[in-house]
Amino acid sequence: MNRRELFTGTAGNAACHAITPRGAQRIPNVVMRTHENRVVRFYDDLIKDRQVLINMMYATCEGYCPVITMRLVEIHEALHARMGRDLFMYSITLKPEQDDPAALKEFARMHGALLPGWTFLTGDAYDIDTLRYELFRHDHIKIDADLDAHAGQMRIINDATNRWLHVAPMASKMTVLQHIAWADPPKSFEQRLEENRRLQERIDQEVELYGYRKVI
Amino acid sequence: MSHQQADLGKTPGAAPSDARDGLDRRTVIKSGALVGAAAIITSKKSQVLAAGAPWPAPPVLCGTTTPTSPATRPFIDNLPVPPPALPVLLHPFPTRTANIAAGEAARAAHQRWSEFLPLIHYHMTAAPSLHKHHTDLLPSYLWTFNGHYPAPTPLNYYGVPSIVRFRNALPEQQDNPTFGVSEITVHLHNGHTPSESDGFAADFFGPGLFKDNHYPNVYAGVDEFGGIGDPREALHTLWFHDHRAASTAHNNFLGLNGMFLLYDAKDPSHELPTPGSLRLPCYYGITDIPLILADKRFCPAANGRNEVFQVIGNNPVVGDKWIVNGKIQPKMRVRRRKYRFRILATGPVKAWSLSLIRSDGTQAPVTVVAVDGNFLPSPVVISDRPLDVQVAMRYDVIIDFSAFPAGSKVYLRENAAQNVGVAVPDPAPGLPIGNVLMRFDVVNMDFLFPADTPPIPSVLAEMPDPIVPDGVFQWNFTLENGRFLINGQEFDHNRIDHVVLKGSSEEWVLANDVAAGNWNHPVHIHFEEGFIMSRRRRVSQNPDVFEDVPLLPEELGRRDVYPLPPQHRVVMRMRFRDFSGRYLIHCHNMNHEDDFMMVRWDIVDSLEELTRKRREIDERRMLAGLPPQYKHGGLV
Ligand SMILES: [Cu+2]
């Protein structure tokens, strides 16, 4: 109850300034180990107040994991200016018992994914299960019990604004980038008006070219 | 400045405020500058911004533990009816091309604008407001259109085009403590609507902007039949709702939906004996009542509110209170005559299984006259099974209360029980109070009330000419690795999964291959109504053997939501006429929709364009190692 009262006191301020990040209410603050063998707390050190991209993988996964990792490298390339500054990528192993930091680092190296702002994570198997459930659950027992069920998804979180999105990394690069942008820090009204104007220009160009609104 | 002044307990909808003030002030607050504000001023004549300043203070969320909603006594509140939307004169005046300078969201130019110039204007402002779901509850913070939950109902006529200016006055995302996303794109389900006004999922716009949705209000078949199209293509009960990609469930859960009615000579807005009229109960709010269903869960009272419970993440929670037209377990006084109820399930997820129960516990008949707004060939009396209403479906039912003595009570039963929280004896034998959605209190007619309508005609609708399909296409609804997919892929608003030619028609097979006992998908196809040709169910996997499932009598008409249980194949046919552009198919379980069980398909104007686009699709598929989707280089 105390906490609620505390929130009440700040509700007015919250409306005029920033909202309270709620991620801590769902994201377990578990202890994890990075591919650099650094010990981190998942929420406090990696998520809090940040915009992040999270996916799940394991080093020996041969199906779509390498394909997805390649796609993530492309995404990193497109957003490299922001990576490690206001945008972070986390790849969490689904098989912590076989993926120690060294194995993850080797996987990252092999896939050209040793890049700034991109951290591979391992940890306690039980903790990772909890994380997987909280980040990717569908509230459906059959899906949520299936380990592989989450390797093909990417969670996008902006903790500062409580935005949770998800996208299939195998969607088009343009779409993945757009989804990430949907979780970007809010823009000023003028900025959004300007974006709206530019979008209209692109629509008009398409209509001129093809006779209708084709892609944009 | 404004939020601290906001009166927590006061419902802002009560006090009309000036639209100019509301928006001006808001824009100044949010943008900190007058530059943008000057551009998006609306006229004083525009519809009152019911949710104008002071904005209700944002909600304080009640933690993460799923609460049990507070107790509410049954049958305290009267059933409210959403008010008819009031036409206004829009300023700036609507334009064919997007009025970017005035703050309109980017879009392609309106199609067939001069042909269907909008004669009626509406202004629908999405804004936060407080709503009381029950006398025993404190107000809850919702997102509503014009301060009403459900939204005011536009009452439109075929042949009278209208335009609805949807304005986004929701809080900026950094000021938004809810888990809705304050960007909207509004779909009229299932209007025969040009693409740029169809609420395409990725065409959303943020606070401070508006968008004019042009509703030509024509029957499908304008090019074929001339005038305003083929009257046999009429549908009368529609609804509009936010369609924001990845946040449709939350935004609808918060209240961004409402009904939309279309009248014509056959189904006029009155019950008088005019030529061609079916003479069904049709006085809006008097004998023709929307029943807009939703489920919600409420937090304990705090700060003068009972907020709706929300958790962070992408899916809203399942409710434990059943809501009809915004109220929990309301009652309605009905005269001993026929009434029409337009039942709509607004989701996000809950499907309803409804029956009418007499006070002796037996089931009373209801007569279904329309499904998804389309009149059935003939009325279907349902008296021995419940009515299955899945998300986004509409059922128009007639209940004849003259069959009940004055003073009797009749109950609408939902198969799943809600949490009432007050010990109440069963209102009827075998009917626990938790299963009661609402109560009808039957009273005698009086001379001031409209006299009863004639018996329901035995023939309600002539079906349009049978569709001879120009092509066949299959849509597979699957669940792979935890992803809800259509034809193996998640929604990608930049990717076109199928292209059809304007003026053509196709047979589509909707297939759900998940294991029996798994997800049912209420599949919604935008743009035109279709016919179910057949329904089959897989009885064995290897070899693949299907058996025919006989169609229910209420499946024999036209519709736009196709229930697709596991292992089912629905074969349906539809036409694509009059307009072109980008359209959607999706599962209307909004959690699945937000998980991107949705596809974009396009209607194109020329054979040349069709061939080109189909070739592009097949080239893309080949690059991805998939077999081509079309024969003969895209020519079907
Ligand atoms: Cu579904």
Side-chain angles (χ1 to χ4, degrees), chain B residues 110-111 191-199 214-216 527 579-580 583:
Chain B
H110 291 306
Q111 296 175 51
H192 188 48
T193 310
S195 166
E196 57 284 348
S197 298
D198 195 50
H214 175 217
Y215 300 131
F527 193 57
F579 304 105
S580 53
Y583 291 95

Side-chain angles (χ1 to χ4, degrees), chain B residues 136-372:
Chain B
D136 293 347
L137 293 180
L138 296 164
S140 317
Y141 176 98
L142 295 182
W143 285 357
T144 59
F145 288 112
N146 289 359
H148 285 280
Y149 175 71
T153 310
L155 304 175
N156 276 209
Y157 292 81
Y158 277 104
V160 185
S162 68
I163 196 154
V164 184
R165 176 162 298 170
F166 288 101
R167 182 178 295 279
N168 187 340
L170 296 170
E172 296 279 351
Q173 199 54 37
Q174 69 267 32
D175 302 333
N176 167 25
T178 76
F179 300 124
V181 172
S182 59
E183 292 162 334
I184 58 170
T185 170
V186 186
H187 170 56
L188 175 59
H189 180 144
N190 191 34
H192 188 48
T193 310
S195 166
E196 57 284 348
S197 298
D198 195 50
F200 188 74
D203 286 354
F204 51 80
F205 54 96
L209 299 180
F210 69 87
K211 187 159 180 231
D212 287 352
N213 278 9
H214 175 217
Y215 300 131
N217 291 340
V218 291
Y219 308 111
V222 173
D223 289 335
E224 206 176 335
F225 292 80
I228 59 164
D230 180 358
R232 296 172 297 181
E233 293 284 0
L235 73 158
H236 300 95
T237 308
L238 300 85
W239 68 300
F240 61 100
H241 64 84
D242 178 53
H243 213 305
R244 204 279 185 201
S247 199
T248 298
H250 272 300
N251 288 6
N252 276 271
F253 175 78
L254 283 168
L256 291 178
N257 51 53
M259 215 171 239
F260 189 112
L261 303 188
L262 271 169
Y263 299 113
D264 61 5
K266 187 169 171 178
D267 190 28
S269 54
H270 57 75
E271 298 169 1
L272 306 173
T274 46
S277 170
L278 289 175
R279 300 198 66 198
L280 298 171
C282 213
Y283 289 117
Y284 180 80
I286 301 168
T287 60
D288 177 3
I289 314 287
L291 296 181
I292 301 171
L293 310 182
D295 60 305
K296 289 193 162 51
R297 190 178 284 273
F298 296 89
C299 298
N303 319 309
R305 307 260 187 93
N306 280 112
E307 300 296 9
V308 291
F309 177 64
Q310 300 174 69
V311 285
I312 193 156
N314 51 327
N315 297 344
V317 290
V318 178
D320 67 345
K321 292 283 188 189
W322 305 157
I323 319 268
V324 191
N325 294 355
K327 292 287 178 194
I328 299 165
Q329 286 193 316
K331 61 181 194 295
M332 181 193 177
R333 199 165 67 147
V334 290
R335 310 278 168 172
R336 297 188 62 236
R337 59 154 282 165
K338 286 190 281 300
Y339 282 72
R340 174 182 187 167
F341 295 96
R342 308 199 194 217
I343 303 169
L344 159 71
T346 61
V349 173
K350 184 167 168 50
W352 306 80
S353 192
L354 306 176
S355 43
L356 192 67
I357 305 292
R358 299 185 185 94
S359 46
D360 64 0
T362 55
Q363 184 173 352
V366 300
T367 306
V368 180
V369 291
V371 176
D372 293 346

Side-chain angles (χ1 to χ4, degrees), chain B residues 484 519-522 587-589 592-593 597:
Chain B
F484 289 98
W519 291 106
N520 166 65
H521 302 299
C587 173
H588 224 303
N589 173 324
H592 295 183
E593 177 180 345
M597 186 174 247

